[in-house]
Amino acid sequence: MKKILILGAGTAGTIMANMLNKKINKREWSITIIDQHSNHYYQPGFLFIPFGIYTEKDVVKRKVKFLPKGVEYIQASVELINAEKNQVVLGNQEMVSYDILIIATGCDIAPEETEGLNEGWGKDLFDFYTIGGALALKDKLENWNGGKLVVHVSEMPIKCPVAPIEFVFLADWFFTEKKKNRQEVELVYVTPLDSAFTKPICSEVLGDLFPQKNISLVNKFNVSHVDPKSRKLVSFDNKEVDYDLLVTVPINMGSKLIGRSGLGDDLNFVPTDKHTLQSKDYENIFVIGDATDLPTSKAGSVAHFQGEILTENILNYTNRKPLTAHFDGHANCFIESGYNKAFLIDFNYDYEPVSGTFPLPGIGPFSLLKETKVNHLGKMAFKYIYWNMLLKGIPIPTVSAHMKKSGKNLDLLPD
Amino acid sequence: MEKIIAGYTVDVTEEGYLTQMNQWNKEIAEAIAKELGIHELTEGHWKVIEFLRKDFAETEKVPTTRRIKNVGNIPTKDLYDLFPDGPVLKAAKIAGISKPVSCV
C-alpha cells in the first residue's frame, strides 16, 4: 500500500483529505493526516469577535469532525521533514514514511520578528489573527474609552490581505453605532503598500471609503520597531505614528517546521509551481494553501479552489500522467465594510478585481466591487458553507475553481 | 524596448528595468542612480548592488529586504538609508535586474 501523507489539518489539509478520499484508488493508496492541534478554527470569524458579533463558540469545532472515515489521523507535532528519505519525524522521534507528501502547514503571525511588539503585547497592543488575540481585543474594546486607534500591517504577504481593512471599517461602525463614542476615537490605517490594497482598481474603490468614514491612511510605512513605552510605531526611514491602542498584523511566516527542514524561502513559504502546485524542489511533494509562496491571496477560498486542482494533479501523478490541472490564482473574498454592508471581489493571477455580478452573470445575487447588503448576507452565510460544505470538499454550486470572466466588467482593465 | 543609458544601448522594460542583466555595467548603474536621485554610489551602495546581482543570478528572484539582511548581512536600516523610499525597487533598478514582484 502506498501512502499519501498530509501535513496540517487546517482549511487546506482538511479539504484535501476529503477531496482525495473520494477519488483515490483505495486498494493502492492510503491517506494519513497529521496535525498537532485538536481544534479547528473558522479563521474568517476572528474578525468579528472583537466587535461582539461572533463568540468563540461560532468559530471552533473539533478537527476530527471534518476528517473522513478511512483517513488515518495522527495528532502529533512534526519535528522534521526529511525530503531526501521521503519521511517525516514526529515530535516523539517516530518516523512516518510517505510516497506523496502534501504540505498544508499554513502560516502564522511572527511578532518576535519586529522589535518591541512582544513587549507591549496584550496591553495597548493586540492582534486579531489568533483566537487568543481576538478574544483579548474584545475585552479591551469593551473597556476602552477612546483615543487614537491605529490598525497596522507590518509586511506583505499576510493571511487575508483585506482583513485589516475590514477591521478598520468595522471599528468605525462599532464606535458609531454600538459604543456611540466615534467622536472620541481617531482611526488610522498604516500600511507598507502604496495604497489601501494591492490591486489598483479595488484599492481606489476602498481608498475612497477612507475619507468618507473619517479614517486616515498612512501608506509606504515599513515598520522598523515599536516603542511600547512611548506608544509609537517607527519606520525604517524614521517616520513615526503614535497610538493609544495598536491593532497590528505582525509579519506572517510559514511554519517553523518548513524552515527547520530547509524547504522554505526567507519567510518559510515553500517554493511552489504556481499552476500545478507541485514543490519546485521535489516531484513527490505538493503544497497547498497558506504554506505556498504563490502570488495569490492567503485565504480559505484560495485553498478551496486549489484543492480541486491539486486533487486532479495528485490523481495524474499516481497514474503517471502529466500534471495537466492548472491553478489560475483564483481568489474570492467578501470585504465587510460595516453597517451590514460588504463588498465582494473575485480575481486571479491575470485579472484584478473589477465590478460585475457573481456568481451568475447579470443576475448575481452578489455585486462585485460594490457595497451591498446582499454581499453582507453572503459574508455571514459563509460560516455555514465553510463548516458544512467547504471543509468537507463538497462543491459549492455555480462557484468553480477557475475564475469566470463572464459577469465581469473586464473592459475596465488597462490594456 | 531599447534605451541609451550612459552611452550604451540596453533593453529595458517600460519602467526602465534592464531585461538582460549581462548588458549592465558600473557606468549604467551610476547613470540610473542619478536618475533616481542618488548622486554618488558609495561602498555601501555597491555592497547592496553586488549582493543583488549575485543572488539574482543564483535564484532568479529579486531578494527581499529580509534576505538582503539575513544572507547579504546588510541591515534593513542601512538599506533604507542608502536607497530611501522603496529601497529594493531602487536598488534592483540600479543593479540591472528585474523589478521585484509585487506581493498580493
Side-chain angles (χ1 to χ4, degrees):
Chain A
M1 189 72 108
K2 291 182 184 172
K3 183 180 275 182
I4 297 174
L5 180 60
I6 305 171
L7 293 186
T11 307
T14 304
I15 288 172
M16 275 317 290
N18 280 296
M19 286 186 172
L20 273 177
N21 189 53
K22 286 178 198 149
K23 299 253 174 105
I24 203 83
N25 180 346
K26 294 199 182 85
R27 276 172 303 187
E28 285 183 30
W29 289 89
S30 71
I31 304 171
T32 298
I33 187 163
I34 303 179
D35 194 294
Q36 62 181 315
H37 301 294
S38 54
N39 284 336
H40 186 110
Y41 287 96
Y42 173 58
Q43 295 177 60
F46 290 178
L47 170 73
F48 294 122
I49 288 177
F51 305 109
I53 301 167
Y54 283 171
T55 65
E56 186 176 6
K57 249 183 151 180
D58 288 302
V59 300
V60 60
K61 292 184 195 291
R62 305 273 297 168
K63 276 187 195 290
V64 282
K65 223 179 138 192
F66 302 94
L67 296 171
K69 280 192 186 107
V71 166
E72 183 193 14
Y73 174 47
I74 302 175
Q75 193 181 332
S77 61
V78 180
E79 188 57 36
L80 200 74
I81 302 166
N82 189 337
E84 296 297 334
K85 291 188 177 168
N86 297 328
Q87 279 178 339
V88 304
V89 183
L90 302 185
N92 62 5
Q93 299 304 309
E94 203 180 298
M95 305 274 191
V96 181
S97 300
Y98 61 81
D99 295 283
I100 293 174
L101 180 69
I102 299 173
I103 297 177
T105 44
C107 71
D108 209 346
I109 58 168
E112 68 279 5
E113 289 286 313
T114 304
E115 193 190 321
L117 266 193
N118 269 339
E119 282 171 58
W121 211 248
K123 218 174 122 206
D124 310 306
L125 202 161
F126 292 82
D127 82 292
F128 67 98
Y129 271 52
T130 58
I131 185 67
L135 290 168
L137 187 51
K138 178 188 187 302
D139 292 343
K140 180 72 183 182
L141 289 183
E142 262 173 17
N143 300 308
W144 194 59
N145 292 322
K148 187 171 177 183
L149 170 56
V150 174
V151 180
H152 164 245
V153 177
S154 298
E155 188 178 309
M156 300 302 275
I158 54 167
K159 195 193 284 262
C160 192
V162 293
I165 301 173
E166 295 180 278
F167 187 94
V168 76
F169 289 164
L170 279 174
D172 167 58
W173 161 81
F174 176 80
F175 293 115
T176 305
E177 296 228 315
K178 274 189 113 173
K179 289 200 80 174
K180 304 200 185 298
N181 65 344
R182 179 64 176 91
Q183 66 285 357
E184 311 293 329
V185 177
E186 184 186 350
L187 287 175
V188 182
Y189 186 78
V190 181
T191 172
L193 299 171
D194 293 351
S195 52
F197 188 54
T198 51
K199 310 279 185 183
I201 295 173
C202 179
S203 198
E204 211 179 303
V205 173
L206 296 178
D208 284 349
L209 281 186
F210 278 72
Q212 285 172 34
K213 292 178 184 285
N214 194 20
I215 300 164
S216 323
L217 178 70
V218 177
N219 61 1
K220 293 187 182 174
F221 189 97
N222 289 284
V223 69
S224 149
H225 61 276
V226 178
D227 183 346
K229 285 200 187 84
S230 58
R231 294 201 295 246
K232 256 186 223 159
L233 284 166
V234 183
S235 75
F236 283 112
D237 48 0
N238 301 317
K239 288 182 284 191
E240 291 184 353
V241 175
D242 59 348
Y243 62 83
D244 295 308
L245 176 58
L246 179 67
V247 176
T248 189
V249 183
I251 289 170
N252 279 207
M253 291 181 79
S255 167
K256 289 190 172 75
L257 163 68
I258 302 302
R260 281 199 297 275
S261 307
L263 291 173
D265 62 13
D266 305 301
L267 286 167
N268 294 342
F269 295 123
V270 185
T272 306
D273 184 289
K274 68 191 270 198
H275 294 301
T276 64
L277 306 177
Q278 189 175 38
S279 144
K280 283 189 176 165
D281 298 320
Y282 296 91
E283 66 160 17
N284 65 337
I285 296 183
F286 295 83
V287 198
I288 184 167
D290 295 351
T292 72
D293 72 338
L294 300 186
T296 183
S297 287
K298 295 194 179 298
S301 68
V302 173
H304 177 235
F305 298 138
Q306 287 176 338
E308 287 188 33
I309 306 294
L310 187 51
T311 301
E312 209 175 316
N313 273 344
I314 296 230
L315 294 175
N316 284 329
Y317 186 81
T318 58
N319 292 317
R320 295 196 174 84
K321 287 183 181 166
L323 305 181
T324 47
H326 273 206
F327 178 57
D328 67 356
H330 191 190
N332 176 284
C333 322
F334 286 105
I335 307 172
E336 188 69 11
S337 53
Y339 305 92
N340 299 323
K341 288 182 183 170
F343 290 83
L344 176 64
I345 52 175
D346 192 62
F347 58 104
N348 68 9
Y349 291 139
D350 300 318
Y351 293 97
E352 62 172 294
V354 290
S355 56
T357 46
F358 184 89
L360 301 172
I363 296 170
F366 304 118
S367 305
L368 293 168
L369 213 48
K370 204 172 145 194
E371 196 184 22
T372 71
K373 291 201 165 173
V374 176
N375 287 344
H376 165 73
L377 293 176
K379 172 110 183 170
M380 302 317 277
F382 194 73
K383 178 167 64 108
Y384 176 87
I385 293 175
Y386 181 86
W387 290 125
N388 293 287
M389 296 172 78
L390 190 122
L391 275 185
K392 294 175 181 170
I394 298 169
I396 299 170
T398 70
V399 180
S400 60
H402 290 117
M403 191 199 83
K404 283 185 201 160
K405 286 192 210 169
S406 53
K408 292 195 170 73
N409 300 318
L410 294 172
D411 51 336
L412 290 177
L413 295 173
D415 291 332
Chain B
M1 58 191 270
E2 287 186 343
K3 189 178 174 185
I4 298 171
I5 305 177
Y8 299 91
T9 305
V10 291
D11 297 314
V12 294
T13 64
E14 277 183 9
E15 291 171 291
Y17 286 82
L18 264 65
T19 55
Q20 316 280 337
M21 72 181 289
N22 58 6
Q23 290 179 342
W24 176 92
N25 62 38
K26 291 195 169 181
E27 289 166 71
I28 291 173
E30 278 161 0
I32 297 174
K34 282 206 177 80
E35 270 181 39
L36 294 174
I38 298 168
H39 295 291
E40 195 196 342
L41 290 178
T42 62
E43 205 180 310
H45 290 103
W46 285 114
K47 192 178 169 197
V48 176
I49 293 165
E50 279 155 21
F51 173 72
L52 252 56
R53 286 185 62 80
K54 181 173 163 280
D55 200 61
F56 186 80
E58 284 167 13
T59 64
E60 294 175 6
K61 265 186 171 175
V62 182
T64 58
T65 50
R66 178 177 311 277
R67 187 168 171 86
I68 297 169
K69 180 181 77 180
N70 294 346
V71 184
N73 290 317
I74 297 158
T76 308
K77 182 83 187 129
D78 292 359
L79 196 63
Y80 275 84
D81 289 343
L82 292 164
F83 302 92
D85 200 20
V88 186
L89 279 170
K90 283 189 178 174
K93 199 170 194 180
I94 297 168
I97 60 175
S98 304
K99 184 182 175 183
V101 181
S102 66
C103 38
V104 176

